[in-house]
Amino acid sequence: MEDRAGAPMPEEIGAEECLTLISPGGVGRVGFGAPSGPLILPVNYTVHQGSVLFRTAFGGPMDQQLDTGVRGVEFKIAFEVDHIDPASRQGWSVLIQGAAHRISSEEELTAAKAAAVEPWAGGERRLYIRITPVQITGRRIVRS
Amino acid sequence: MEDRAGAPMPEEIGAEECLTLISPGGVGRVGFGAPSGPLILPVNYTVHQGSVLFRTAFGGPMDQQLDTGVRGVEFKIAFEVDHIDPASRQGWSVLIQGAAHRISSEEELTAAKAAAVEPWAGGERRLYIRITPVQITGRRIVRS
């Protein structure tokens, strides 16, 4: 469907297809609030049992923010993946809104390590984070 | 420089070089807080006189959030652009933290229209947003 100017209307993508689109893993972006305002940081991620896993540094911006929430209230985070071709102006984007947790139990940590999510940047990035999706939405632009 | 595992350490990119990297425009991502938690949305942007310009829909998620700030306090937003090659695991990312404003004056609107920032998706996207950078940071991963 196109609007009056001939631009294609974005199509909604269902949650299940969104998960399929992001399941190969790769580069995504996390977004969360910090004292200086919202942050967006690229991460190398993997999808494991319906959750998004990535690694970051102990003491880094995310680690610090994970402790600022009121006790018992989950730390809210956004996770976005897109695949957009600037030449054809087509593509899709998926947004996951959910809660972020440090992976701390031995059992979870073993599973996360087996899922082999590797940060690209060097340095100590031993903190494994799991994002549990609460809402999954996606949009696609296709040109005929 | 590499860490013990042989992964390259990320290099900081200065603010001026960050602006140069993003100046061609293209696809970036905006991040901001909403009642449901943080959001990340891809936008087609352009850089105009040191600010980031993009278009969105009146009544959309950003338009709604622009009004939730306390009067006189600027709406904080994150804007991120990256250029990452999954094959070589190299690339850069730039993060702009700043204030987002609706462009409403006739003069600013004329300048924004001349800057020709075009949304790719169809539908009414007549709301021009300007992000005034407060902090500009960037990181680069280079493998030898």
Side-chain angles (χ1 to χ4, degrees):
Chain A
M1 196 178 117
E2 296 184 355
D3 69 2
R4 281 171 295 174
M9 297 297 289
E11 299 165 8
E12 305 278 329
I13 307 174
E16 199 171 327
E17 190 184 349
C18 285
L19 278 175
T20 304
L21 285 168
I22 70 165
S23 64
V27 178
R29 291 143 204 106
V30 291
F32 54 95
S36 57
L39 290 184
I40 301 177
L41 301 172
V43 295
N44 196 33
Y45 76 97
T46 194
V47 176
H48 180 248
Q49 295 179 343
S51 293
V52 173
L53 301 183
F54 63 96
R55 281 168 61 178
T56 188
F58 279 105
M62 173 158 315
D63 190 25
Q64 290 173 38
Q65 289 309 307
L66 279 168
D67 289 324
T68 58
V70 179
R71 190 169 291 270
V73 175
E74 290 178 318
F75 180 72
K76 286 181 176 175
I77 197 167
F79 176 73
E80 191 259 5
V81 181
D82 56 50
H83 194 271
I84 296 171
D85 175 22
S88 66
R89 296 184 159 202
Q90 297 183 101
W92 54 263
S93 67
V94 166
L95 172 65
I96 289 183
Q97 294 178 277
H101 303 271
R102 292 187 186 86
I103 297 180
S104 50
S105 80
E106 202 59 46
E107 189 184 358
E108 268 205 306
L109 211 51
T110 304
K113 285 178 180 169
V117 52
E118 290 299 327
W120 293 355
E124 301 288 355
R125 284 161 207 278
R126 294 184 180 175
L127 174 58
Y128 284 75
I129 304 278
R130 174 189 296 279
I131 301 174
T132 311
V134 172
Q135 186 158 30
I136 305 175
T137 52
R139 300 198 318 161
R140 177 187 280 122
I141 297 177
V142 182
R143 283 164 204 274
S144 47
Chain B
M1 196 179 116
E2 296 184 356
D3 68 3
R4 281 170 294 172
M9 297 298 289
E11 299 165 6
E12 305 277 329
I13 307 174
E16 199 171 328
E17 190 184 351
C18 285
L19 277 176
T20 304
L21 285 168
I22 70 165
S23 64
V27 177
R29 291 143 204 107
V30 291
F32 54 96
S36 57
L39 290 183
I40 301 176
L41 301 173
V43 295
N44 196 34
Y45 76 97
T46 195
V47 177
H48 181 247
Q49 296 180 341
S51 294
V52 174
L53 300 184
F54 64 95
R55 281 168 62 178
T56 188
F58 280 105
M62 172 157 316
D63 190 24
Q64 290 172 38
Q65 289 310 306
L66 279 168
D67 290 323
T68 59
V70 180
R71 190 170 291 270
V73 176
E74 290 177 320
F75 180 73
K76 286 181 176 175
I77 198 166
F79 176 73
E80 190 259 6
V81 180
D82 57 49
H83 194 271
I84 296 171
D85 175 22
S88 66
R89 294 182 161 205
Q90 297 184 100
W92 53 263
S93 67
V94 166
L95 172 65
I96 290 182
Q97 294 179 276
H101 302 272
R102 292 188 187 86
I103 296 180
S104 50
S105 81
E106 202 60 45
E107 191 184 358
E108 268 205 306
L109 211 50
T110 303
K113 285 178 180 169
V117 53
E118 289 300 325
W120 292 355
E124 300 289 356
R125 283 161 207 277
R126 294 184 181 175
L127 175 57
Y128 284 74
I129 304 278
R130 174 188 297 278
I131 301 173
T132 311
V134 173
Q135 187 158 31
I136 305 175
T137 53
R139 299 198 319 161
R140 176 186 281 123
I141 297 177
V142 181
R143 283 164 204 276
S144 49

